[in-house]
Amino acid sequence: MRLLAVPNPAPIAPPGLAGIADQILGWLKWGVLAGGVAGLLICAAMIIWGRRNRSATAMEGLAGSAWVLGGLALASVAAVLVGAFQV
């Protein structure tokens, strides 16, 4: 008995949609980078302002910076993660 191979075509963008998709992804990447820089600067300011007698503010800034760095790390490997789950 002979089994036929299951077709597995590569992903192809619909006609005329590749440029638009690339532009939207570029905007999203820029937004994530701008948000990451702003988030880290805000967290740094919270740590600085909370240095004396406002330790809760400093702790919130430190915890927030971990979340910002985690989000930036996830954004930087987004394409790799999506590619890993392709069938």
Side-chain angles (χ1 to χ4, degrees), residues 32-48:
V32 166
L33 290 175
V37 169
L40 286 176
L41 289 174
I42 291 168
C43 290
M46 289 175 70
I47 292 169
I48 292 167

